[in-house]
Amino acid sequence: MRFRPIHLLIGLLLFSLGFAFVAQIKIQRSDPLDGLNEDELVLLLDQLTAAESQLRDEKAELTDQIYKLQSAHSQGQAAVEAAEKERELARILGGTTPVHGPGLEIVVNQGSSPIPAQKFVTMLGELRNSGAEAIELNGNRIVATSFITSDDDGVLSLSGTELKAPYTWRVIGDADTIQPALDIARGTTSQLRASDATVEITRVDDIEIDSTVAPKTYRYAKPVE
């Protein structure tokens, strides 16, 4: 092949394009800070420092807001749970809801003479003092306002409802505490047995007390605000 001027022109053009391409790559890869003087670099550093400080403050503020929201949610949830537990406890103590749990079944059969109401009043006190949480007598729920009486013929009544033998107490609570309290010397069960009555105490893993009482309406007593 013979060398011609056109070949030189093509070579120059290729060299120019290659040089321009390399120069462009160097420009793109160069540090943008290289062209700044010292004052401009100091100003840029101050701006970056201020921006970082502002971002840190915003992060701290957002973190604090998240913590407050989480804390408020936790407190609100705890308040709801506490209120629900109080309502549940009030329903149990007030006898307005069926309950179940471990406890005792006590069956009392009178002997040749009727059982005085005072014996059962004392027995009820022993049950309460030993930690009974729910009590039922012959299918009637016993609450704080319940009372046991007997008429001249010795017929027992619970809050006006007549009771007939055998008398079955169903008690929910810690049997390991309640039973010894009933069996103490000179306690109610000992006195009943001494008066010719029979008393049978059976531990039950899960007693159901389905009887309830109507919620009591108070006319004069009001809660303190």
Side-chain angles (χ1 to χ4, degrees):
M1 180 181 296
R2 296 179 61 185
F3 179 80
R4 297 180 180 181
I6 188 65
H7 294 156
L8 177 61
L9 180 60
I10 293 173
L12 289 174
L13 289 175
L14 291 175
F15 176 79
S16 298
L17 289 174
F19 180 80
F21 179 72
V22 172
Q24 181 66 28
I25 291 177
K26 287 185 177 181
I27 292 174
Q28 291 177 353
R29 291 183 177 179
S30 64
D31 191 341
L33 300 179
D34 289 343
L36 300 179
N37 58 39
E38 183 177 352
D39 292 338
E40 291 173 333
L41 288 173
V42 171
L43 178 61
L44 179 60
L45 179 61
D46 290 342
Q47 291 175 346
L48 291 175
T49 302
E52 181 185 11
S53 177
Q54 182 179 359
L55 290 175
R56 288 181 180 273
D57 292 341
E58 291 178 356
K59 177 185 177 182
E61 183 178 354
L62 291 174
T63 302
D64 183 61
Q65 291 178 0
I66 292 173
Y67 173 78
K68 289 180 178 178
L69 289 173
Q70 291 176 339
S71 178
H73 174 74
S74 298
Q75 292 176 358
Q77 186 66 26
V80 170
E81 292 176 358
E84 180 58 32
K85 288 182 179 179
E86 289 181 1
R87 284 193 293 268
E88 180 180 351
L89 179 61
R91 291 194 296 267
I92 293 174
L93 294 177
T96 59
T97 183
V99 291
H100 73 96
L104 300 172
E105 183 175 86
I106 308 162
V107 180
V108 181
N109 258 306
Q110 67 184 28
S112 56
S113 59
I115 297 175
Q118 184 58 41
K119 297 293 184 184
F120 275 3
V121 171
T122 303
M123 186 173 181
L124 177 59
E126 291 175 351
L127 291 172
R128 286 173 171 167
N129 292 337
S130 59
E133 297 179 356
I135 305 172
E136 182 184 74
L137 176 56
N138 281 22
N140 300 281
R141 188 73 167 269
I142 295 180
V143 293
T145 56
S146 300
F147 54 93
I148 301 174
T149 58
S150 59
D151 59 18
D152 296 336
D153 296 326
V155 177
L156 293 174
S157 296
L158 173 63
S159 301
T161 299
E162 183 177 326
L163 303 174
K164 294 183 179 180
Y167 306 104
T168 302
W169 297 76
R170 297 168 66 82
V171 183
I172 293 177
D174 183 5
D176 290 333
T177 302
I178 299 173
Q179 186 169 359
L182 295 175
D183 287 337
I184 60 174
R186 298 185 181 180
T188 303
T189 56
S190 297
Q191 295 179 20
L192 287 171
R193 291 185 178 115
S195 63
D196 198 27
T198 61
V199 181
E200 296 180 2
I201 302 177
T202 305
R203 297 192 178 203
V204 183
D205 292 334
D206 191 25
I207 294 178
E208 291 187 6
I209 296 181
D210 297 325
S211 59
T212 59
V213 297
K216 186 175 180 59
T217 301
Y218 293 91
R219 179 179 177 184
Y220 299 103
K222 304 294 181 183
V224 178
E225 297 293 339

